[in-house]
Amino acid sequence: MKVLHIVTGLASGGAERQLHLLLRHLPPHQHCEVLALTNPGAVADALRADGVAVHHLGMRGNRDLGALPRLVRLVRAGRYDLVHTHLYRAQLYGRLAARLAGVRAVVSTEHSLHAGVIEGRPITRGVKGLYLAAERLGSTTVAVSRQVAQTLRSWGVPPARIELIPNGIDTAGYRRPPAERSAARRRVRAELGLPEGSWVVGGVGRLVPGKRFEVLLAALVDLDPATRLVLVGEGPERAELERLAAELGVRERLVLTGERDDVPDLLAAMDVLAAPSTTETFGLGVLEGLAAGLPVRHSACPALDELPPSAAPQARRIPSEPAAYAAALRDLRQLSGHIADPLPHPPAVGHYDIARVAADLGALYDRLARG
């Protein structure tokens, strides 16, 4: 079976990293290629390193209608059995191009949808109308959580066209021998210039308003001066976060790593993962923190909401407010001190293992391809 994944871009965001991970674990008879409409970033390089063919359409913007015939020609020439689209722009153009090219099996994964927000942007009547029109061109929409599935149903998408397949994490990639983990911790801390004995609060995700990393900066003011904040990711809010950190007097305690492809090593260098976002549709970063053996303080994680509290006892949900995070992080440091030993994997990590998720998606592909 030949599958084309069409994605808006390949910067190092959650949806893009999830696509890379899935392609490593799908059944071997499903040969996948990837097409980025724009911005073939760090994930494109990682995919090519894995031997995956990556195409770049060079689309200039949402209204670059001239990109559509080029996309149709590429899909038709590739003779794909199935097209799978990811993220809003790719869903609009990719579904239409697949149908015009004669592909019958068209899947789309909805990574980030709330009742009034899609991919961090408010939903207008026009955006919703285009979304629903494009959805009818597909075969199935994959929801990454029950929350996303419920939103799709409330919009009028028939339940029979919705498939619940959550995101997954590479559990094995975070399970390391103690000596190897300690070496990674020392190396990354030295690389990032973290002082000896510092206590490190980490955050992982695109630097966009929805992640609410400014909450952690404000909390940092009320934490011990030896506390450092390491944010892993890149995005349009970088300059604003740097400006705010300087205004608050904590610029020297903030480390911005930019896009990285060694997230497990970076998590090993942290003492706690903090996730103040209130608009998550899954909570991939929270699960990655748990897989890395970190205590986690978060404000939204639908993936954990769907499981009993015993599935992740080291994760605690708190309000997305500076005072709440400052208090929670102070309490945690008093309990943990400078202990760097990882916590055991909670049941939630095994539940969302990427091997299970990829097997479910592969089974969906086979079913749709059979028609």
Side-chain angles (χ1 to χ4, degrees):
M1 179 191 301
K2 196 172 181 185
V3 180
L4 177 66
H5 290 263
I6 302 177
V7 61
T8 300
L10 285 170
S12 192
E16 296 86 352
R17 289 191 294 118
Q18 183 66 194
L19 173 59
H20 180 206
L21 192 56
L22 275 169
L23 265 55
R24 286 181 164 178
H25 292 84
L26 284 169
H29 72 277
Q30 295 170 348
H31 175 76
C32 295
E33 298 181 6
V34 177
L35 181 141
L37 299 183
T38 185
N39 188 21
V43 177
D45 295 335
L47 286 166
R48 291 189 179 108
D50 285 351
V52 177
V54 178
H55 310 275
H56 178 214
L57 196 65
M59 194 173 186
R60 294 188 298 274
N62 285 338
R63 299 182 181 180
D64 182 10
L65 299 180
L68 180 60
R70 300 201 307 274
L71 182 55
V72 172
R73 287 195 295 271
L74 191 148
V75 175
R76 186 177 290 131
R79 301 178 65 85
Y80 299 101
D81 301 292
L82 184 146
V83 167
H84 189 160
T85 67
H86 307 261
L87 302 176
Y88 183 75
R89 191 195 303 181
Q91 289 167 347
L92 298 184
Y93 283 86
R95 283 165 165 153
L96 179 56
R99 289 305 188 194
L100 292 173
V103 179
R104 289 168 44 202
V106 183
V107 180
S108 181
T109 292
E110 186 44 67
H111 295 271
S112 182
L113 176 66
H114 290 264
V117 177
I118 187 167
E119 296 170 25
R121 297 179 179 87
I123 294 171
T124 64
R125 182 178 298 179
V127 165
K128 184 176 179 179
L130 280 173
Y131 184 98
L132 292 174
E135 194 280 332
R136 295 185 187 98
L137 297 174
S139 309
T140 299
T141 297
V142 172
V144 299
S145 68
R146 290 195 184 106
Q147 175 183 305
V148 172
Q150 176 56 43
T151 301
L152 289 168
R153 287 192 294 270
S154 73
W155 280 19
V157 178
R161 294 170 57 81
I162 302 170
E163 190 86 13
L164 179 57
I165 301 177
N167 287 326
I169 55 173
D170 183 11
T171 306
Y174 296 91
R175 187 179 286 122
R176 299 178 175 186
E180 184 180 321
R181 184 182 186 275
S182 295
R185 181 179 174 89
R186 291 192 299 271
R187 174 178 54 77
V188 172
R189 283 182 163 231
E191 175 196 335
L192 298 180
L194 298 170
E196 187 76 24
S198 58
W199 196 71
V200 179
V201 178
V204 178
R206 291 263 297 152
L207 304 185
V208 293
K211 293 299 182 183
R212 293 181 57 80
F213 287 134
E214 69 276 7
V215 170
L216 301 182
L217 280 175
L220 194 60
V221 175
D222 294 325
L223 295 174
D224 185 281
T227 303
R228 296 295 185 269
L229 175 61
V230 174
L231 298 181
V232 181
E234 191 56 87
E237 286 291 291
R238 181 182 182 116
E240 175 59 22
L241 289 170
E242 290 177 321
R243 186 203 65 76
L244 179 59
E247 179 182 301
L248 295 172
V250 294
R251 182 63 188 88
E252 74 284 357
R253 296 164 62 190
L254 170 66
V255 177
L256 300 171
T257 71
E259 282 191 11
R260 299 282 293 246
D261 59 6
D262 57 345
V263 173
D265 286 350
L266 288 157
L267 289 170
M270 300 172 188
D271 294 293
V272 56
L273 182 82
S277 169
T278 58
T279 58
E280 295 298 315
T281 50
F282 184 75
L284 189 61
V286 168
L287 288 173
E288 289 176 333
L290 294 173
L294 293 176
V296 174
R297 298 297 178 262
H298 68 282
S299 298
C301 185
L304 293 185
D305 293 343
E306 296 175 7
L307 301 176
S310 59
Q314 58 263 61
R316 185 176 303 166
R317 187 170 184 167
I318 58 176
S320 184
E321 300 168 358
Y325 271 88
L329 294 170
R330 274 197 304 269
D331 291 346
L332 189 60
R333 185 174 187 187
Q334 289 174 359
L335 288 173
S336 63
H338 294 289
I339 298 174
D341 292 337
L343 297 169
H345 277 176
V349 171
H351 181 81
Y352 291 111
D353 186 82
I354 190 63
R356 281 184 57 184
V357 173
D360 289 345
L361 184 61
L364 175 65
Y365 286 176
D366 287 340
R367 190 165 73 246
L368 292 175
R370 287 194 299 265

